Amino acid sequence: MDGATVQQIVQALERVYAANTAAADRKAAETECQQFKDDARAVAYGLYLAQPSNAQSPMVRYFGLQLIEHAIKQRFGTSKMPTEEALQLREQIWELVFASGQSDAREPQFIREKLVAILVMLVIRLWPSEQWTDLSAQLMHLYSQTAGHRELALRVWQTLGEELLVYDRDALATVRKHELTNGIVGALLPKSAVMELYPNGYRLSTDPGAANPATAKGGKRATLIVLEPGNEDGWILRWMQHAGEVAQQQSGGLSDEHEAQIVQLLETTATFLDWMPIKAVVATELVPRLAALLGVRSARVRQHAAAALEIVSRRNVPAGEERDAILLQFVEAGDGAALGAIAQAYATTLAPQLDAHWDDAGDALACARALAQISANLTTLHWARK
């Protein structure tokens, strides 16, 4: 690594961010930083600057990650960044992500977020493919480590879902939407739901490069769904089980750490609720699992659980078995426990229970509105049946 160039980058950044830098000097330093982004060695410099072991300031490390991000955007798929180089970069980013999870509170959040964004950029470009067949296994390993690692694994799934299903900010996510959607079907949903979703033919495989069978039942082309060994239950069920386990272990009241865990699990799940097939919602028993969290002694958890249930209840479900199935999730699963939990949670937002269950009346009102909307949505679904 050219130490003189590294020092040049650091000095340019110091001039950009120093409060006493003259406007003309700051403009020149910004131009210099932009030139480094276009340098052929940008990825190498970025990796060096981003390494926590090199003792650079957070500002410099962040710029190193920006160099990598810019290179992926501008060079991926060209002779300047062939697939082999991108795969090598993937491994180097994984190392940075794992190191970030180990550093806990000492790692600035904006650096963690940028690492997640870069990893998701690589996921969008490389997964699922012959070159990347084990994303779920890698994230499962990350998820099973420390709380910091678990947070990063959830942020990867949440960011991928946002890029694919919500924002459309990355053009490659649009180009590869079919492959990526098949990827998240195999990763997030239980195998039993996949079998129901593709009655005209599907192929579960650990080899994403395998050709689809030419025809399936009914003469239709079968869909290839990548299913990694050990992930038969899917991530969404894993998240909801984990949230329920944490809530049960803290029956006397949640610590801030456990509250944050459940909230992040709910936020990640909510990213996929508008997309999640109704058959999968039923197979994972999502409604009763969310309803059970309405009884947790945490305003934030109750608000997020109510918001997630409201998303499910407003889904535009076609008339027939699927509409009946989602209604039955509310009224039959757990002997009507979901509707009961909704009613009990709503009661806590009214006097005389309000003061005992809520520290902020505004939070209680927001939750009450979501719970009332759930009831309205279910009534509309019920009366709209044909």
Side-chain angles (χ1 to χ4, degrees):
M1 182 58 59
D2 183 356
T5 302
V6 170
Q7 190 60 29
Q8 188 180 354
I9 294 172
V10 173
Q11 291 173 350
L13 288 169
E14 288 174 346
R15 292 197 302 276
V16 168
Y17 291 107
N20 60 351
T21 301
D25 291 340
R26 179 174 286 106
K27 181 71 172 177
E30 290 172 349
T31 301
E32 190 175 357
C33 290
Q34 184 60 45
Q35 290 172 346
F36 284 122
K37 289 184 178 181
D38 297 328
D39 192 293
R41 300 162 295 175
V43 171
Y45 285 124
L47 288 168
Y48 179 83
L49 294 172
Q51 283 287 349
S53 59
N54 290 328
Q56 298 291 348
S57 69
M59 170 189 70
V60 173
R61 292 184 60 208
Y62 187 79
F63 181 72
L65 294 174
Q66 287 182 312
L67 292 178
I68 298 169
E69 181 181 47
H70 183 79
I72 295 171
K73 286 180 180 178
Q74 300 299 320
R75 303 177 190 178
F76 178 84
T78 71
S79 58
K80 295 180 180 180
M81 185 181 285
T83 302
E84 294 76 14
E85 183 178 328
L87 290 168
Q88 181 181 359
L89 177 59
R90 175 195 64 179
E91 300 307 313
Q92 293 163 322
I93 296 299
W94 267 117
E95 292 175 4
L96 289 174
V97 168
F98 201 87
S100 179
Q102 289 177 313
S103 61
D104 296 327
R106 294 189 298 273
E107 181 80 300
Q109 188 63 27
F110 64 88
I111 289 181
R112 292 188 180 203
E113 290 295 327
K114 184 60 72 175
L115 277 169
V116 167
I118 291 171
L119 182 56
V120 169
M121 287 177 67
L122 292 169
V123 170
I124 287 171
R125 285 154 177 78
L126 296 170
W127 176 83
S129 67
E130 293 179 15
Q131 293 85 11
W132 200 344
T133 63
D134 59 348
L135 176 63
S136 279
Q138 289 174 308
L139 287 172
M140 207 175 299
H141 176 67
L142 190 68
Y143 189 85
S144 66
Q145 303 301 307
T146 68
H149 289 113
R150 182 168 53 249
E151 177 187 341
L152 288 167
L154 289 169
R155 285 295 296 140
V156 169
W157 281 121
Q158 185 176 357
T159 304
L160 177 60
E162 290 170 348
E163 291 293 344
L164 182 60
L165 306 171
V166 182
Y167 297 128
D168 290 330
R169 292 175 296 199
D170 193 326
L172 265 296
T174 301
V175 172
R176 300 194 67 238
K177 190 160 190 173
H178 178 72
E179 293 93 333
L180 289 165
T181 300
N182 283 349
I184 64 173
V185 165
L188 301 185
L189 307 185
K191 180 179 177 181
S192 59
V194 174
M195 295 171 68
E196 284 193 69
L197 287 168
Y198 297 94
N200 292 314
Y202 69 93
R203 181 178 177 186
L204 297 179
S205 174
T206 57
D207 178 11
N212 279 331
T215 58
K217 187 169 62 175
K220 297 184 179 180
R221 188 175 181 82
T223 300
L224 178 65
I225 301 297
V226 180
L227 183 69
E228 292 185 32
N231 190 41
E232 289 79 9
D233 288 339
W235 276 93
I236 289 177
L237 180 56
R238 182 176 298 116
W239 297 332
M240 293 308 304
Q241 287 174 333
H242 188 186
E245 290 166 2
V246 173
Q248 288 180 350
Q249 292 168 3
Q250 306 292 318
S251 57
L254 293 177
S255 65
D256 290 345
E257 178 185 352
H258 289 111
E259 179 185 68
Q261 279 184 30
I262 297 177
V263 166
Q264 191 183 14
L265 288 161
L266 289 172
E267 288 177 340
T268 306
T269 302
T271 305
F272 298 94
L273 289 183
D274 273 325
W275 161 83
M276 191 176 179
I278 294 301
K279 290 182 185 296
V281 172
V282 174
T284 55
E285 298 182 329
L286 198 62
V287 168
R289 291 179 189 278
L290 287 168
L293 295 174
L294 292 173
V296 173
R297 296 183 62 181
S298 161
R300 292 181 66 207
V301 170
R302 289 197 295 267
Q303 284 179 298
H304 281 80
L309 282 167
E310 197 277 322
I311 294 173
V312 175
S313 70
R314 71 167 184 247
R315 290 282 299 273
N316 185 17
V317 185
E321 291 183 5
E322 288 196 353
R323 181 175 290 174
D324 289 344
I326 200 64
L327 285 169
L328 290 173
Q329 280 276 290
F330 282 91
V331 301
E332 280 194 356
D335 296 325
L339 282 181
I342 291 170
Q344 290 174 15
Y346 188 84
T348 67
T349 68
L350 305 172
Q353 297 189 47
L354 176 63
D355 292 339
H357 291 85
W358 296 88
D359 295 326
D360 187 298
D363 290 342
L365 179 59
C367 187
R369 285 172 176 164
L371 294 169
Q373 189 61 53
I374 292 168
S375 299
N377 293 341
L378 292 176
T379 301
T380 302
L381 277 176
H382 175 76
W383 288 107
R385 290 188 304 166
K386 295 181 179 179

